[in-house]
Amino acid sequence: MTIEDMKFIQNFKRMTNDAWLKGWHERNGGNITYRLTKEEVSAIKEFINEDSEYNSIGVTVKNLANEYFLVTGSGKFIRNMTVCLGENAGIIKIDEKGENYKVVWGLSNNARPTSELPSHLMSHSIKVEKTNGCHRVIMHSHTTNVIALTFVLPLEGKVFTRELWEMATECPVVFPSGIGVVPWMVPGGAAIAEATGELMKDHDVVIWAHHGMFCSGETLDLTFGLMDTVEKSAEILVKVLSMGGKKQTIVSENFRDLAKDFNVSISEDYLV
Ligand code: 13P
Ligand code: ZN
């Protein structure tokens, strides 16, 4: 058995390949991180090297102290994750203070974790607190239709949520807590990490204007499915707008009926 035979690694490879095939990850665009379970950490012990040096994360994530994450590498192509994972991704460990990380497996040839590590870890930190540790995955993708919409819709979470809910009946069931929108910001630093984390307190989907999307979920499958659902809805909206706009739609009362039958709670804020 090698580390690459493990189920979570196989699932990660399948998800990265699916995401590449979707067209969400040109060149090195996008990045994915997964927080290992205790069982997975024990199972990888014989394959990892804890002697490496700590590096600064750039943000403080106290509640992630001593956690292990599988992370894609900076400048690495999502399409290559299935070709050689150890060169394109790695496993990192967070220190006692939640301020530094070290590479314990992979990221060979001095590769570094994604430049969006601050945004990923800040979002993980918020989600660990908000979901009692249930959420384990953060995915950032350059989803074409969502990006296109950030050039024509007002950059308000309420507007994106309502418009995208209307494009597919099951959307409010898949992302009942709606969408947050970060205005254009320089990627890769602490400022965009703070802005994203703030919106992750209330949403599982955060759009970065003119850049892409961040999704949070319990499993790799659920997070991929969330990204896919939002992006598909955005594709329908782009088509509807291209055909001259809505002539009829799902109305607030329909959403209330849906919420009742599907047993989800959706905020009246989105139903005015
Ligand atoms: P990385 O190659 O550093 O992961 O950056 C890609 C990206 O999408 C930046 O937002
Ligand atoms: Zn990006």
Side-chain angles (χ1 to χ4, degrees):
M1 177 115 171
T2 71
I3 199 164
E4 300 222 18
D5 296 323
M6 289 184 184
K7 193 81 189 144
F8 76 98
I9 298 266
Q10 304 222 322
N11 290 343
F12 190 80
K13 285 186 173 178
R14 176 164 164 254
M15 184 227 219
T16 51
N17 192 53
D18 287 346
W20 154 247
L21 294 175
K22 283 280 182 189
W24 302 339
H25 296 278
E26 78 292 341
R27 203 175 180 277
N28 65 309
N31 23 75
I32 305 165
T33 55
Y34 167 76
R35 186 168 54 85
L36 276 66
T37 64
K38 281 201 171 53
E39 294 72 32
E40 286 159 350
V41 172
S42 327
I44 60 164
K45 278 279 183 275
E46 59 177 302
F47 304 109
I48 63 176
N49 170 19
E50 299 257 357
D51 298 336
S52 49
E53 307 245 300
Y54 276 109
N55 300 286
S56 168
I57 299 167
V59 292
T60 303
V61 284
K62 278 208 175 64
N63 63 345
L64 300 183
N66 302 313
E67 294 277 356
Y68 291 73
F69 292 86
L70 176 58
V71 302
T72 54
S74 186
K76 303 300 182 186
F77 296 14
I78 294 294
R79 72 180 296 231
N80 287 338
M81 296 300 153
T82 48
V83 178
C84 181
L85 194 71
E87 281 177 13
N88 295 292
I91 297 175
I92 60 168
K93 181 185 183 184
I94 310 300
D95 72 355
E96 293 284 344
K97 293 192 199 144
E99 288 175 359
N100 302 288
Y101 73 87
K102 65 181 176 184
V103 176
V104 298
W105 179 83
L107 290 170
S108 51
N109 308 318
N110 293 321
R112 284 172 297 114
T114 171
S115 58
E116 304 295 3
L117 194 65
S119 285
H120 278 256
L121 293 181
M122 186 60 86
S123 299
H124 277 291
S125 170
I126 302 284
K127 287 302 184 189
V128 162
E129 187 188 325
K130 293 275 173 189
T131 71
N132 238 331
C134 283
H135 278 211
R136 297 192 168 273
V137 183
I138 298 290
M139 179 178 198
H140 165 54
S141 302
H142 293 179
T143 41
T144 315
N145 294 285
V146 162
I147 297 170
L149 288 175
T150 65
F151 292 91
V152 296
L153 291 185
L155 297 176
E156 293 164 25
K158 245 184 179 173
V159 175
F160 271 81
T161 302
R162 179 63 192 239
E163 291 293 331
L164 293 178
W165 277 3
E166 284 183 33
M167 292 302 112
T169 292
E170 294 193 357
C171 278
V173 181
V174 179
F175 50 102
S177 56
I179 296 173
V181 178
V182 173
W184 188 88
M185 288 181 79
V186 175
I192 199 165
E194 299 286 350
T196 307
E198 202 48 44
L199 290 169
M200 281 287 180
K201 289 180 180 167
D202 297 319
H203 311 282
D204 293 339
V205 182
V206 174
I207 290 172
W208 283 4
H210 321 321
H211 183 149
M213 216 190 321
F214 262 74
C215 286
S216 172
E218 293 179 28
T219 65
L220 293 165
D221 260 359
L222 285 169
T223 313
F224 180 90
L226 177 58
M227 185 73 74
D228 198 13
T229 305
V230 178
E231 172 59 5
K232 176 158 185 174
S233 204
E235 183 181 348
I236 298 170
L237 184 54
V238 167
K239 290 183 183 187
V240 169
L241 294 172
S242 312
M243 291 187 291
K246 291 178 263 184
K247 302 285 188 289
Q248 57 272 325
T249 189
I250 304 170
V251 298
S252 295
E253 210 38 48
N254 300 145
F255 286 128
R256 289 190 189 97
D257 291 343
L258 184 78
K260 202 153 38 139
D261 275 28
F262 280 75
N263 210 13
V264 290
S265 120
I266 57 181
S267 166
E268 275 292 317
D269 282 1
Y270 298 120
L271 302 181
V272 284

